[in-house]
Structure formats: structure tokens, C-alpha cells
Amino acid sequence: EDKVVQSPLSLVVHEGDTVTLNCSYEVTNFRSLLWYKQEKKAPTFLFMLTSSGIEKKSGRLSSILDKKELSSILNITATQTGDSAIYLCAVGTNSGAGSYQLTFGKGTKLSVIP
Amino acid sequence: DAGVIQSPRHEVTEMGQEVTLRCKPISGHDYLFWYRQTMMRGLELLIYFNNNVPIDDSGMPEDRFSAKMPNASFSTLKIQPSEPRDSAVYFCASSFWESETQYFGPGTRLLVL
């Protein structure tokens, strides 16, 4: 059974701090790793990673995949209260039918306090 | 683009009743996914379709759950009969064939009393 584990489960930081969220996985037929941000509504897409060692950046957020360690990290620098959300990691795999599916971790709840 | 559209946004029903959730994917997307999210279990994939054909329904919890996609622009998830443990937020998501970025709808919050 495919497994995706995120840590920590929750995190409280002050505005301006830098945070690192972790995601590790055990899956068959790995294809990609995705990060999502979920506030009080539906998840919104942040990054998709397929190649090991290549960092993806978007403003204060960045992420990198380590296929050897079967893990990924999501960094957020100079955190703001608007970064408060649940961050979900998902791993895409090739299914037997030639299509793909995503297995989600339980998420990391980030709270940024002023 | 309007994004993925789901209806209703909220549903309150009594145990034993039939519940039908609806989804309209983004136009041109070939994949459609149904998820359920609860505090205890997180986000779970229930079933997904490729070009209107169900590909994997191994996440569907029981025979009380069924999903259809009669055409490229519409899908339903039905629960009959509903039970209190079915209370959750149900998301629909869609994606292109060559892209794995799934775009989620706003979700349907279901409460079964």
C-alpha cells in the first residue's frame, strides 16, 4: 500500500520565521510529488516535482525532491499570517491501467502568529 | 475559466436517505477525481475517471457508494443509504491528460444526522 507521511503534524511560528515542512513516501511506480496549500476551502496547487535535486521556487516558497531519500521539503521564508494553512503533500503514481493517481499525506498545519 | 464546479455546497440529511453530489470539471480535462476529507483520515481518493470511464474505484468505501460520469462535463457521486459516518467534505478535482496538477472544486460539506 502506498504511504505518504508528513512532519511535523502542526507547527506554530512567528511572522518572519523560516519554516521547513517534510514529506516522505513509500510508493510503487513513483511519478511525481506535489505540494498543496489548503486554507478553509479546497486545496490549491503549489508545486509539482519530478526530478531529484532541482529546486522549484515561487516567491517565498520553495521545494526540492530527494528521490534517493524518498522525501521532499517545502520551505517558506519570512512567513506571514497569510501563510497559515494546512500544507498537503501528495505522491503521484502510475496505476496498472496506465493512468495515475495521487496518495495524500495527512498534512502539516502551519500557524503563523503576529 | 469557471474552475471545477460542485453542488450542493452544503447538504444536511438524515440517516438512510439518498445523497447525490454533483461535479462539473474544467472543460477539456480528461481526468476527474472524487475525494473525501475527514479530520480522522485526511484526504482520500474514492474513484477516478479517464475520458468518462471509471479507472480505479478501490477507494470507494462500500457498495452504498457509487459514481457515474455520463459525459465529459458531468459526474455524480451517490450514497444510498447514507450513514452518519459518511459525514465529510467531498471534493471533486480534474486534470489534463499530460498534466498531474489536479484542480479542486470548492467541495460539498455533507452532514448525515
Side-chain angles (χ1 to χ4, degrees), chain A residues 79-96:
Chain A
T79 51
Q80 302 171 357
T81 54
D83 296 327
S84 296
I86 295 173
Y87 290 84
L88 295 168
C89 172
V91 175
T93 56
N94 289 316
S95 73

